[in-house]
Amino acid sequence: MKIEVINEEDTDVFDVLIAGLREHKYEHMGREETQPLSVVARDEDNKLIGGVSGQTIYRNFLIGVVWVDKDTRGTGLGRRLMELAEVEAKKRGCLVAQLDTLSYQAPVFYQKLGFEIVGTVPAFPGSPERYFLLKNYQ
């Protein structure tokens, strides 16, 4: 056996790890692939000013990123994008949505949308508190 430390991105290694993880997942959950799901907003010049992006799988909406341009924050755009993304996730049969955020980002924003904090990683020097949030659609 040879163990090595790799300090750069290696897509070949990553792809083999993901393939092995998928096979293990299929054995326990059945075959289902993730489906991308993004809802974005653009201004009149077609510049991206906000969006929600993630994926759906096994009746879960896994939200990877939510962002609204700083000049557009506070206008309700973030709420609207989240609501539209959740409508699409529900159409796909999702029963829950999950995401994580940092303390300086927007935990209260997500709570106002019905998400509940289900876990945290406390802040430590050099890193803010991290929140894991879940919203049930049932």
Side-chain angles (χ1 to χ4, degrees):
M1 174 187 326
K2 175 182 167 190
I3 298 177
E4 62 184 297
V5 175
I6 302 170
N7 290 311
E8 58 188 33
E9 189 170 330
D10 187 327
T11 55
D12 292 334
V13 168
F14 183 79
D15 290 345
V16 170
L17 295 172
I18 290 296
L21 184 61
R22 280 190 181 126
E23 280 307 312
H24 181 70
K25 174 182 71 170
Y26 295 155
E27 291 171 12
H28 295 275
M29 301 285 298
R31 246 181 219 287
E32 184 172 328
E33 298 298 327
T34 60
Q35 288 185 274
L37 173 54
S38 297
V39 177
V40 300
R42 299 179 188 276
D43 68 10
E44 54 279 344
D45 297 322
N46 207 34
K47 177 186 168 202
L48 193 65
I49 57 171
V52 175
S53 187
Q55 56 193 351
T56 59
I57 189 167
Y58 299 117
R59 303 176 83 179
N60 287 271
F61 179 25
L62 308 173
I63 301 169
V65 63
V66 178
W67 172 78
V68 174
D69 181 82
K70 66 181 176 180
D71 295 333
T72 311
R73 291 181 193 143
T75 65
L77 178 61
R79 172 181 285 278
R80 186 167 174 218
L81 293 169
M82 284 291 292
E83 289 170 349
L84 291 170
E86 289 187 86
V87 165
E88 182 61 29
K90 290 175 190 176
K91 285 181 187 175
R92 294 181 184 188
C94 290
L95 300 177
V96 300
Q98 5 181 348
L99 60 88
D100 68 274
T101 191
L102 301 173
S103 57
Y104 70 87
Q105 290 174 319
V108 173
F109 167 75
Y110 298 114
Q111 288 176 299
K112 287 179 182 178
L113 293 175
F115 284 80
E116 294 181 46
I117 295 172
V118 295
T120 60
V121 175
F124 54 88
S127 183
E129 189 166 20
R130 185 174 184 183
Y131 299 92
F132 297 89
L133 295 102
L134 180 71
K135 181 175 182 178
N136 286 297
Y137 294 145
Q138 302 172 352

